[in-house]
Amino acid sequence: MLASRAFSLIGKRAISTSICLRGHAGVAKVEDYALPGYIDRRDIPLPQLEYIKNLSAEQKALKEKEKASWSALSIDEKVGLYRIKFNETFAEMNRGSNEWKTVIGGTLFFFGVTALIVIWQRLYVYGPVPHTFSEEWVAMQTKRMLDMRVNPIEGFSAKWDYDKNEWKK
Amino acid sequence: MAHPLQLGFQDAMSPIMEELLHFHDHTLMIVFMISAMVLYIIMLMMTTKLTYTNTMNAQEVEMIWTILPAIVLITIALPSLRVLYLMDEINNPHLTIKAIGHQWYWTYEYTDYDNLEFDSYMIPTQDLPNGYFRLLEVDHRMMMPMESPIRMLISAEDVLHSWAVPSLGVKTDAVPGRLNQTTFIVTRPGVFYGQCSEICGANHSFMPIVVESLPLQHFENWSTMSS
């Protein structure tokens, strides 16, 4: 019950924050992708079509005004002309998203689930560890390894100070 | 033997293993440098705002990224071949020892002078004396004189095995019906552990190899006492 609610939460977030879904927002509907189409892409700064195909009466009037001197246009009119030609500005199309939070959160969640499974396995599936892992045995074993000079050059015994009988600092 | 949490090779106990350690250091350094460069380039590619959609020719960079890897490969190949040929040098062994693999133990034969032959079984975990190494100790170790070139002839009685001692830089397959030869010199006295390195059945993990190298006098004493 909790698991299915958690999964559906992650799933919904994964879809809603997904970068992929945004890709279709700036594209006008085309039947044939090989024909000229509109798209908001950083590396295609001048798409093949205008964004708005069917202009309203106001927009048509604006386009007429565009034929005259551009310094006569107000800021809002210039923005209006821009919005006829383009869907999103560069700033808008390049905006970041919150998808990274979904990815990191989902990954950590699954790490946690895996950790629970591993802990359960250690407790309920595996038998006891061999007696050679007990502290006393490991102590005797370590002493024996030092006595027989295991890896004396750069490895194990190289880190033991044989004069002072302690690990080198 | 390996020590806990060990990452690198065991310390070299024979000259060939020393050469292999140095070669590995050299090659690993090259590998790290290439990986760091590739990682850096990937990072640059992922974080740039620049785009260019019209790549046609790239003659200059193609030349560089063909010539440079060729040089890197030669830099790796030359030391590699040197070590390879070093391994094959004629070294006039003082002693020949035969190691025969069985399921699931080794037999060592010293037949140069007397007929000395014995089996070497793993000591089961419940019978281990205090502080001994689990799955590594055997009842009869292979003794050999130190600082002498030794010839090993490795074979098998039943299925494939492999006689391996990492600190000596030796791994030779034991093939039934075939004698494989390897030679080495042990530079220090000591006890060196290895494990069977070719899958050979249920107890493949439980037929270790233990080599004990001694000064010549002590080796001769042992040899006289044992045969």
Side-chain angles (χ1 to χ4, degrees):
Chain A
M1 181 54 205
L2 181 64
S4 65
R5 272 174 50 201
F7 279 132
S8 64
L9 176 68
I10 295 183
K12 280 200 214 116
R13 247 199 89 91
I15 296 173
S16 65
T17 59
S18 164
I19 293 272
C20 311
L21 278 191
R22 281 205 284 161
H24 297 291
V27 182
K29 289 263 180 291
V30 272
E31 299 80 35
D32 183 348
Y33 62 85
L35 291 174
Y38 176 83
I39 186 154
D40 283 317
R41 269 183 69 136
R42 216 172 75 222
D43 50 354
I44 304 181
L46 295 174
Q48 295 155 337
L49 293 180
E50 286 202 340
Y51 180 53
I52 302 192
K53 280 196 286 212
N54 308 315
L55 301 175
S56 68
E58 284 175 38
Q59 288 170 326
K60 284 190 184 140
L62 204 47
K63 282 305 237 183
E64 284 303 316
K65 200 164 176 206
E66 196 189 14
K67 292 177 183 170
S69 166
W70 287 344
S71 32
L73 295 167
S74 72
I75 295 288
D76 289 327
E77 285 169 335
K78 287 179 188 169
V79 170
L81 284 168
Y82 182 92
R83 289 293 174 183
I84 291 173
K85 192 133 195 238
F86 301 107
N87 178 24
E88 288 181 309
T89 65
F90 277 96
E92 286 164 7
M93 79 169 79
N94 291 338
R95 73 187 180 281
S97 83
N98 282 327
E99 190 185 22
W100 68 272
K101 297 177 191 169
T102 313
V103 171
I104 304 254
T107 307
L108 291 176
F109 171 76
F110 283 108
F111 280 176
V113 168
T114 308
L116 286 175
I117 295 177
V118 169
I119 293 170
W120 173 87
Q121 185 186 55
R122 175 72 188 83
L123 289 176
Y124 291 101
V125 173
Y126 286 123
V129 129
H131 69 96
T132 53
F133 284 86
S134 68
E135 273 206 36
E136 312 86 55
W137 192 280
V138 170
M140 291 189 285
Q141 186 174 278
T142 311
K143 170 118 185 55
R144 185 161 174 267
M145 283 166 77
L146 290 170
D147 288 342
M148 60 168 39
R149 304 290 195 274
V150 162
N151 290 335
I153 304 159
E154 291 181 319
F156 191 68
S157 309
K159 303 199 173 85
W160 177 262
D161 193 335
Y162 283 95
D163 299 317
K164 297 194 197 137
N165 243 356
E166 57 184 17
W167 291 109
K168 288 184 185 163
K169 303 261 181 296
Chain B
M1 62 175 272
H3 54 262
L5 296 179
Q6 176 175 332
L7 280 183
F9 289 121
Q10 298 178 27
D11 282 345
M13 295 297 155
S14 80
I16 290 293
M17 191 57 203
E18 289 175 22
E19 295 288 342
L20 285 171
L21 284 183
H22 297 319
F23 172 66
H24 181 262
D25 286 344
H26 166 80
T27 310
L28 195 62
M29 180 193 66
I30 295 176
V31 163
F32 280 157
M33 291 200 311
I34 295 175
S35 305
M37 191 181 76
V38 169
L39 218 55
Y40 176 61
I41 292 176
I42 290 177
M43 238 195 40
L44 285 180
M45 292 289 119
M46 304 254 280
T47 55
T48 182
K49 292 246 189 318
L50 304 168
T51 62
Y52 184 57
T53 51
N54 209 10
T55 312
M56 288 290 136
N57 273 327
Q59 286 302 96
E60 302 79 10
V61 67
E62 295 261 359
M63 284 279 275
I64 295 175
W65 69 37
T66 307
I67 307 269
L68 237 43
I71 296 178
V72 167
L73 286 174
I74 294 175
T75 315
I76 297 175
L78 291 178
S80 174
L81 290 171
R82 173 177 169 271
V83 178
L84 188 63
Y85 276 75
L86 271 175
M87 288 178 182
D88 272 348
E89 280 202 345
I90 315 288
N91 65 352
N92 292 324
H94 295 177
L95 185 61
T96 301
I97 307 177
K98 296 184 213 105
I100 320 276
H102 307 257
Q103 281 177 314
W104 286 280
Y105 60 98
W106 293 92
T107 310
Y108 298 110
E109 296 178 10
Y110 298 68
T111 49
D112 281 346
Y113 304 106
D114 292 313
N115 253 342
L116 174 55
E117 192 184 314
F118 55 89
D119 295 338
S120 175
Y121 278 83
M122 181 185 89
I123 301 181
T125 307
Q126 64 247 38
D127 300 339
L128 277 178
N130 278 344
Y132 273 48
F133 309 129
R134 185 180 72 99
L135 306 187
L136 279 180
E137 304 283 359
V138 296
D139 49 7
H140 303 116
R141 297 174 177 164
M142 186 186 108
M143 313 295 258
M144 45 182 284
M146 57 181 262
E147 291 177 340
S148 316
I150 306 281
R151 173 198 284 122
M152 298 266 331
L153 294 172
I154 321 258
S155 185
E157 277 278 325
D158 36 41
V159 297
L160 293 177
H161 300 270
S162 186
W163 197 84
V165 183
S167 46
L168 303 177
V170 174
K171 182 179 290 173
T172 310
D173 279 1
V175 181
R178 182 185 171 86
L179 284 179
N180 278 331
Q181 175 180 290
T182 185
T183 54
F184 54 88
I185 302 174
V186 186
T187 49
R188 298 163 175 263
V191 183
F192 313 117
Y193 295 86
Q195 292 175 289
C196 175
S197 299
E198 184 68 41
I199 186 79
C200 53
N203 287 345
H204 156 69
S205 316
F206 309 116
M207 49 182 290
I209 296 132
V210 186
V211 170
E212 184 172 339
S213 78
L214 309 166
L216 185 58
Q217 185 60 52
H218 297 277
F219 170 75
E220 289 180 339
N221 292 344
W222 167 83
S223 169
T224 325
M225 273 192 341
S226 312
S227 33

